[in-house]
Structures are given as structure tokens and as C-alpha cells.
Amino acid sequence: TAKSRGRGGIAIYQSSAHSVARDMFRMEADLRKAIERQELELAFQPYVNLEQGTLAGFEALARWNHPERGMISPADFIPIAEDSGLIVPLGRWAIETACMQIADWRKRCPNAADLIVGVNVSGLQLAQDDIVGAVEAALANSGIPGSALKVELTESAIVENPELARQIFTKLKQLDLSIAMDDFGTGYSSLSYLQQLPIDVLKIDQSFVAGMLKSDDSYKIVTTIIALARNLGMRTVAEGVEEEGQADRLRALGCDMAQGFYFARPMAARGAEKLLETGLYSPSRKRGGKQIID
Ligand code: C2E
Ligand code: MG
Ligand code: MG
Ligand code: MG
């Protein structure tokens, strides 16, 4: 064997590749159980109206607290869910859970009446699941209007099958949902999709926001995306805002909304509810309001 040859390069490679595969396999089995046992949770990250400095809504982000491994990032388990097909039940769970949470807030917090919650949807859910049926069922079960829900899709999800995306988006719009293109600027979408598809919001990828005060190129890209969205009648959300300077500049550039650690980190439903209750959602809050939670 390679190992017995002494240098071990191949053997080490083989054994580590094997353990990676085993690890993935275990993680997939664990994820399947976690979905069945309802061990996943949704965290909620606020996004704010930059002009008014008020809370505009939340993005729902999946969280997996593994019994032995601790918190696993969605960046690690979403790809496994996509490779294994588990993204279909996971995606349904996210839509249902977000709708039930919205219904609960709407029942108990007057400030939640106009709240919009964004749920991330993978491209595979468009192809492999009846997402429109899943949304319809979740709205019916929770009793919330479609206007309280936004779906977030990346460019790549759309590029894979633009005609399918168009059909599905059109039906989601009939249910009154809004549609956001996530991580905009990082994929390979043709600008013509922006015109052909009923997209309401462009989310400016956090890589451009992170660089916008340091790199002239990033700054120009951010400026251009805001102008593009405005010209096409879409709204903008800047992702990954971590500094006051970024928020100030984005506001001056006419970016509508912002999301990021500067305003608030993703939080448990209870924390999000506190934000709703404290009245920070009130439009009378002073313009350009700062951090809404620490
Ligand atoms: P995303 O949809 O672009 O979500 C934004 C990510 O940026 C979140 O990471 C959020 O915690 C992070 N973030 C927010 N503000 C800041 C900031 O100021 N600085 C930095 N460095 N990061 C910030 P998270 O929660 O780890 O999620 C990663 C990705 O996993 C999401 O990116 C989304 O693509 C995917 N994801 C999460 N939940 C779901 C889900 O339920 N379904 C699907 N299909 N994908 C999901
Ligand atoms: Mg998102
Ligand atoms: Mg994003
Ligand atoms: Mg992102």
C-alpha cells in the first residue's frame, strides 16, 4: 500500500479523504434527525430603514445546535442539505416556522402589523419542491397574509433555470409575497433577469459593503447597484453593515435599508420580540438612529 512505501503521502490523503466522507455522511444523518426532531431553530436578524433609523423587518436564518459539536454554521450545513436533498424538508420547515412566528408576533405585538420577514430559499427548492404549494399551506396554517413574507434567492438559484424562476416568482407575487435577490453582485446573473423577473429588492452582497470605505472599486460597485435598483424600481438592502461610517455613506447614497452587526446580530425569537415591543419600530424614532441593540 501507499503507507507501506514509507512516505505516506497517498495514504494520508486517502485516509483524510475517507474521514471527510465519513464525517459528511454522519453530519447528513444527524441533520436528517435534527430536522425530524425539530432541533433546528430560526434566528432573526433585524434590518433597518436607513432614512428613518427604524426597524423594517427581520431575516430568518437557520441555526443548528448539534448535541456534540455545538453550533454549526449554515455555511457548513446548508451545502450538506443541498447535496443530500434534505434542503427540501429543511426549506419547508423554515417557511412554516417563520410563518408561525410571524403569526405569534402579530397576535401579541401591535408593532408587528407591518413586519416583513425574509426566508432564504435555495435554488434546489425551486426545482425539487412545490414551493408555491408549501408557501400557500404555511400561510393558510398560520393565518398570516403573504405580504408579511419575503423570499430571498441568490443569483445562482435563478440563473440555473430562469424560466422556472419566472413562473414561480409570478405565483408568489400573486400570493402577495415580496422577492429579494440575495448576495447581489457575486453571481453571474444577466441584467436582463432583473427586468424580466418580478424582483422587489436587491440585497447588496456584504463583500462590497465591507470594502466600500477602503476600496474605490467596491464603493463604485455599491453606488452602481443602488442606482441600478432605483432605475428599475427596486429597493436595496445593504448586507453586512458593521460600522457607522458605512451606514452613513449608504444612507447618503440612497440605499433604502441595511442589515449587519452594527445594528444587530441575528438573535433568538424572544430577543426579536423585545425589539418589537420596545417601540423601536415606531416611525417617529429619530432619523438616522444608531445601534438598535448590542
Ligand atoms: P445570507 O442569506 O446572505 O445571510 C446573511 C449572512 O450574513 C448571515 O450568516 C448573517 O449572520 C451574516 N451577517 C449579517 N450581518 C453581518 C455582518 O455585519 N458581518 C458579517 N461578517 N456577517 C453578517 P449566516 O446566518 O451564517 O447564514 C449564512 C448563509 O446561509 C445565508 O446567507 C444563507 O445563504 C444561508 N442560510 C441560512 N439560513 C438558511 C435557510 O433557512 N435556508 C437556506 N436555503 N439557506 C439559509
Ligand atoms: Mg439571505
Ligand atoms: Mg445575503
Ligand atoms: Mg451572504
Side-chain angles (χ1 to χ4, degrees), residues 4-16:
S4 65
R5 261 185 254 129
R7 300 215 68 139
I10 293 170
I12 286 166
Y13 172 75
Q14 281 177 339
S15 87
S16 73

Side-chain angles (χ1 to χ4, degrees), residues 212-213 241-251 262:
M212 68 177 284
L213 298 182
V241 176
E242 295 187 351
E243 299 163 18
E244 182 172 26
Q246 294 163 342
D248 288 343
R249 194 65 65 85
L250 286 160
R251 186 184 304 113
Y262 170 66

Side-chain angles (χ1 to χ4, degrees), residues 88 91 93 123 254 273 281:
V88 169
W93 163 83
E273 185 173 330
Y281 195 43

Side-chain angles (χ1 to χ4, degrees), residues 47-92:
Y47 56 93
V48 302
N49 177 316
L50 274 171
E51 185 62 32
Q52 298 174 346
T54 52
L55 179 63
F58 295 105
E59 175 172 9
L61 295 157
R63 292 289 178 266
W64 182 15
N65 196 352
H66 190 284
E68 287 132 41
R69 294 167 199 228
M71 270 301 177
I72 303 178
S73 161
D76 294 323
F77 70 80
I78 295 293
I80 291 176
E82 289 182 331
D83 287 345
S84 59
L86 286 172
I87 194 70
V88 169
L90 189 154
R92 285 190 168 239

